[in-house]
Amino acid sequence: MKTSFRDPISVDIKRGGLLESQHKISAVLMHPDGTLEECWGDPKMLVFPRSAVKPLQAMALVSSGAVEKFNLTSQEIALACASHGGETMHVEGVRNWLSKVGLQTTDLECGSHWPSHQESAHRMIADGVFHQAEHNNCSGKHAGFLTLALQLGHPHRNYIQPDHPVQLRVKEVLEKSCDVELSKNEPAIDGCSVPTWAMPLENIAIGMARWGTGSKLDPEFCKASEIISKAMVLHPHLVAGQGRCCTRVLSHFKGKVLVKTGAEGVYCAAFPELGLGMALKCHDGQKRASEAGLVALIQKLDLVDEQQAEILSPSKIKNHNQILVGEIKVRIP
């Protein structure tokens, strides 16, 4: 078993044969029992995982009995894990979910923004429609939080606060799945206003390994992890959307690789058949670099060949006239 630490992964952006920019990535592969498989950079680097831990956060909902009580569908469970692009299928899915449990989109406390899916945003502008909370990329997760509040029998207002029973339950799930104590630290605030906890990169990867395999999880969380994984595999377009790396990877591997992105260059993955979890952080938060690093590590694990890797994360850089102007090179020490 490889246990040596290496230098960080380097993602080189070249234009005209010259290095234009360079991005460093720390990454770690872990087993569910906390054994290190391989590491690049500092495995104890403190990272805000942001949206990358949405599948773990969703275990609080799925393990609560809310799925059975409210007859939640696999589409809704996938939305609970989503950082979606605000396409019609995402927005309507959240609206229908909330209506089913007796709530409204005005109950969402995630704030609003234009869809990241440009066609959807342009269509709304042309129709004179302004963005609402359901267009927020985290609205599915928040629909899950609201549903969890109902299931727990607590008022759903202010569910985003760190001391609300919903967030306390989510923190408990993160602690157990990632084998980390969070109570010592104060949480920061995520883009959608819920608490986000800084964790060592290696602990995030442990959580991913446990999610993907069900190993070392309490029985209730083990069953929930399986339900969540199946939902994401069944509905990869709900997890992200058109043109998104998460959707491409989930669609391609059909359960052999489970992935979720987070803001500021974070990417997490589970490899159920290999019994591994992965977490990576691009030091400067660059999304393009983190996606390239993710796919390069998947290729290093012999799960894709070079041609398939190119489809999942294109290395060729083209301008608006589709002229080849540069390339992305990933160097794994």
Side-chain angles (χ1 to χ4, degrees), residues 96-143:
N96 293 337
W97 178 355
L98 292 172
S99 177
K100 181 164 69 174
V101 300
L103 296 174
Q104 301 175 344
T105 55
T106 52
D107 292 310
L108 294 167
E109 298 178 7
C110 52
S112 68
H113 59 72
W114 291 108
S116 61
H117 182 245
Q118 290 190 0
E119 290 181 15
S120 297
H122 294 165
R123 191 180 309 116
M124 289 171 61
I125 293 170
D127 293 341
V129 177
F130 198 72
H131 56 78
Q132 304 294 331
E134 58 266 38
H135 297 100
N136 188 304
N137 75 98
C138 294
S139 62
K141 177 178 74 173
H142 281 249

Side-chain angles (χ1 to χ4, degrees), residues 59 62-64 169 176 217-225:
M59 285 200 281
V62 177
S63 65
S64 71
R169 178 61 171 165
K176 289 184 176 180
L217 289 176
D218 293 345
E220 57 178 336
F221 295 151
C222 182
K223 181 181 178 182
S225 69

Side-chain angles (χ1 to χ4, degrees), residues 214-293:
S215 177
K216 301 297 181 181
L217 289 176
D218 293 345
E220 57 178 336
F221 295 151
C222 182
K223 181 181 178 182
S225 69
E226 183 179 356
I227 292 171
I228 291 165
S229 298
K230 287 182 177 179
M232 292 175 66
V233 172
L234 282 172
H235 310 288
H237 286 84
L238 290 178
V239 175
Q242 293 185 48
R244 298 279 298 280
C245 184
C246 280
T247 293
R248 289 197 299 271
V249 173
L250 287 168
S251 299
H252 179 83
F253 286 102
K254 303 185 185 306
K256 291 185 177 181
V257 181
L258 305 168
V259 296
K260 185 68 189 69
T261 187
E264 298 298 329
V266 176
Y267 240 107
C268 292
F271 306 96
E273 293 182 2
L274 300 179
L276 294 172
M278 184 189 74
L280 68 81
K281 165 72 176 178
C282 181
H283 295 189
D284 62 6
Q286 225 277 347
K287 175 184 175 183
R288 178 169 65 178
S290 67
E291 292 179 354

Side-chain angles (χ1 to χ4, degrees), residues 27-201:
V28 60
L29 288 163
M30 301 292 293
H31 293 269
D33 64 359
T35 302
L36 175 67
E37 173 69 11
E38 205 157 5
C39 179
W40 299 267
D42 182 6
K44 298 188 182 300
M45 175 184 183
L46 282 177
V47 172
F48 289 113
R50 308 290 295 275
S51 291
V53 291
K54 281 180 179 175
L56 304 184
Q57 293 172 317
M59 285 200 281
L61 170 70
V62 177
S63 65
S64 71
V67 173
E68 295 79 12
K69 179 177 180 179
F70 296 103
N71 193 28
L72 299 183
T73 64
S74 58
Q75 290 93 331
E76 287 156 349
I77 294 169
L79 281 171
C81 303
S83 297
H84 64 70
E87 299 171 53
T88 299
M89 60 181 171
H90 303 128
V91 175
E92 290 300 321
V94 171
R95 288 172 178 165
N96 293 337
W97 178 355
L98 292 172
S99 177
K100 181 164 69 174
V101 300
L103 296 174
Q104 301 175 344
T105 55
T106 52
D107 292 310
L108 294 167
E109 298 178 7
C110 52
S112 68
H113 59 72
W114 291 108
S116 61
H117 182 245
Q118 290 190 0
E119 290 181 15
S120 297
H122 294 165
R123 191 180 309 116
M124 289 171 61
I125 293 170
D127 293 341
V129 177
F130 198 72
H131 56 78
Q132 304 294 331
E134 58 266 38
H135 297 100
N136 188 304
N137 75 98
C138 294
S139 62
K141 177 178 74 173
H142 281 249
F145 289 158
L146 284 165
T147 305
L148 178 57
L150 296 179
Q151 175 67 11
L152 296 176
H154 293 286
H156 62 266
R157 296 193 185 281
N158 298 316
Y159 68 86
I160 62 175
Q161 296 302 318
D163 59 352
H164 190 282
V166 164
Q167 298 306 328
L168 293 175
R169 178 61 171 165
V170 169
K171 184 179 79 167
E172 178 188 358
V173 173
L174 289 175
E175 288 181 324
K176 289 184 176 180
S177 56
C178 296
D179 195 19
V180 64
E181 185 178 350
L182 301 177
S183 300
K184 295 179 180 179
N185 306 318
E186 288 293 325
I189 301 174
D190 212 331
C192 64
S193 297
V194 299
T196 181
W197 301 85
M199 290 186 272
L201 202 62

